[in-house]
Amino acid sequence: MTATVWSNGWHTNIALPADAMEADHPLRLLFPEAEHFLIGWGERDFYLDEDPGLWTGLDAIIPPSPSVMQVIAADEPVENRIWRGEETVRVALSRAGRARLAREIGETLALDETGAPVIVQGGRVEGTSLFLEARPDFHLFHMCNHWTAARLAGAGVKLRPSLAFHAPWLTGALRRNAPQSCPTS
């Protein structure tokens, strides 16, 4: 199975086919008809603001701040048609790596008492996306690209997540280090 890392030059998301997740995964339950997901994580106020500005950005990185996950669900690969990025990099994952990636994405979500994701508001693609309450807190040493890199490292990709301060570093490291064909285990 392959995952795709989507980048707009600053921020990265992970694109996955829905079947990369178990049928009872919180995102599959939230979007049962979806065949593809584009998943991003970031600082709540900055991510929710359509035009955040300098002060919102500084406020995001200085103190630890609450985070959200934006999930875009579709019946086609989101990174190809709905939300074109500046760059995309495909990453091949083993079955075990895929399972760890899906589990870690699920563990990032804050769930209510029924086990459902906590919806913060609608996402950037009307009708097919949501911002969901997430964890851990966002700060200078744990930003969106760190989150993406840590999920992929947990899935077995050779990366140093602590170095992923900006998207070009992460996409470059993936082009150099990520497997291009699916491992057997």
Side-chain angles (χ1 to χ4, degrees):
M1 189 222 65
T2 60
T4 301
V5 173
W6 175 99
S7 170
N8 66 3
W10 291 97
H11 176 82
T12 55
N13 291 333
I14 299 171
L16 292 171
D19 64 7
M21 300 174 199
E22 297 293 329
D24 64 349
H25 191 282
L27 295 181
R28 299 264 326 257
L29 295 174
L30 190 61
F31 297 101
E33 302 300 318
E35 293 180 30
H36 296 272
F37 290 104
L38 185 66
I39 303 161
W41 177 91
E43 197 275 343
R44 182 182 179 133
D45 293 341
F46 190 86
Y47 213 173
L48 296 177
D49 192 332
E50 296 257 356
D51 188 22
L54 177 64
W55 293 116
T56 304
L58 288 174
D59 189 48
I61 63 171
I62 303 298
S65 304
S67 64
V68 291
M69 180 185 291
Q70 180 176 216
V71 177
I72 302 172
D75 60 358
E76 60 186 332
V78 180
E79 73 278 13
N80 292 339
R81 295 187 182 92
I82 295 174
W83 238 31
R84 282 199 139 353
E86 182 176 294
E87 181 178 16
T88 58
V89 179
R90 292 209 181 279
V91 178
L93 300 173
S94 67
R95 284 185 183 97
R98 176 192 78 180
R100 280 191 304 272
L101 176 61
R103 185 180 63 247
E104 288 187 13
I105 287 170
E107 290 170 353
T108 299
L109 291 166
L111 304 177
D112 67 16
E113 61 280 348
T114 69
V118 178
I119 298 171
V120 175
Q121 72 177 46
R124 300 263 188 265
V125 180
E126 191 171 329
T128 64
S129 68
L130 294 170
F131 282 104
L132 306 171
E133 191 174 316
R135 5 170 233 219
D137 284 345
F138 183 100
H139 54 80
L140 179 60
F141 299 105
H142 189 66
M143 298 189 297
C144 61
N145 301 313
H146 295 116
W147 180 86
T148 300
R151 302 293 74 74
L152 294 169
V157 179
K158 294 171 78 172
L159 288 172
R160 294 193 54 202
S162 62
L163 300 178
F165 281 97
H166 69 302
W169 180 91
L170 178 54
T171 55
L174 289 170
R175 278 193 305 282
R176 288 186 304 278
N177 300 324
Q180 300 302 303
S181 59
C182 292
T184 56
S185 59

